[in-house]
Amino acid sequence: EGLSAIHPDSEAPFAKLPDRISFQFLKMGMKVRAPPAVAARRRKAIADRARTGAASSEADDPNWMEVLHSVSGTIDHSTITAIMGVSGCGKSTFMNVLCGRASYGEPTGTLFVNGKPAEPEKYRNRLGFVPQDDIVREALTVYENIFYAATLKLPRGTTPRRVRNLVHEIIEMLGLQSCRDSVVGS
């Protein structure tokens, strides 16, 4: 049975995707607009290098800052993957680029889904991740938190029955049956 059985219509999430999805990402990166003060300092540094005859590169655009540089790897199907690093190292930026949600800058790199080239934006509504700050409601149960998240994320018009079925499948996939009715707490 699987997710495609829960969402047989082609417009529903997961309907066109196989139950097992693997990702490969090559040289994923992100550039954002530099704040005015930073851009001014960078223009001055470029001008100083030009006066001394030091080499300049295409990457020397003072108006842009690279906040994520050349991340490559794979996330295999049926695995839980942790992205770890010190505060400010780009974990959330990387996940936003990978999930097609990095609208605040210029993402770079190549994404493959099940070995085929893919645009992250096409998967924006089908992918998600748990951010470093909890966004669950402490007073709700595990089931209720997933149910409300699904209700908000799924396309308008998704029937309550389909939402419940998907939530049950997610709980099973994550192995949360034993704490399904437990209040999350703080």
Side-chain angles (χ1 to χ4, degrees):
E1 204 170 272
L3 292 172
S4 56
I6 293 173
H7 292 282
D9 58 311
S10 62
E11 295 302 312
F14 310 112
K16 294 180 182 176
L17 298 176
D19 286 357
R20 295 191 168 111
I21 302 171
S22 295
F23 298 94
Q24 180 181 21
F25 41 95
L26 301 173
K27 298 184 178 183
M28 299 296 272
M30 175 70 147
K31 292 181 179 181
V32 296
R33 279 218 178 270
V38 172
R41 281 195 309 272
R42 295 180 78 195
R43 276 192 291 278
K44 183 181 180 316
I46 291 169
D48 290 346
R49 280 198 305 270
R51 273 193 297 278
T52 63
S56 186
S57 74
E58 188 179 300
D60 281 342
D61 183 345
N63 298 311
W64 291 92
M65 298 175 12
E66 189 173 45
V67 295
L68 187 67
H69 177 73
S70 195
V71 179
S72 297
T74 59
I75 299 175
D76 291 324
H77 68 79
S78 307
T79 62
I80 295 176
T81 303
I83 308 296
M84 300 180 354
V86 297
S87 180
C89 73
K91 300 176 298 290
S92 295
T93 298
F94 167 65
M95 292 305 298
N96 283 326
V97 170
L98 190 62
C99 293
R101 294 190 175 106
S103 59
Y104 49 88
E106 289 189 6
T108 59
T110 307
L111 174 68
F112 295 89
V113 175
N114 290 341
K116 297 178 182 164
E119 293 294 322
E121 294 77 22
K122 289 185 178 181
Y123 295 90
R124 180 185 355 234
N125 295 326
R126 296 178 177 160
L127 299 175
F129 62 96
V130 178
Q132 54 199 16
D133 298 321
D134 286 342
I135 55 170
V136 295
R137 301 289 174 216
E138 298 172 355
L140 299 178
T141 66
V142 170
Y143 175 87
E144 291 166 334
N145 269 291
I146 296 172
F147 177 83
Y148 289 122
T151 300
L152 293 170
K153 289 278 191 183
L154 290 170
R156 192 175 306 216
T158 303
T159 66
R161 180 172 183 250
R162 284 191 177 173
V163 174
R164 285 191 307 273
N165 288 342
L166 182 57
V167 170
H168 288 294
E169 180 133 354
I170 290 169
I171 287 173
E172 282 183 31
M173 284 172 44
L174 296 175
L176 298 173
Q177 300 92 324
S178 64
C179 61
R180 174 192 186 278
D181 297 315
S182 299
V183 173
V184 172
S186 61

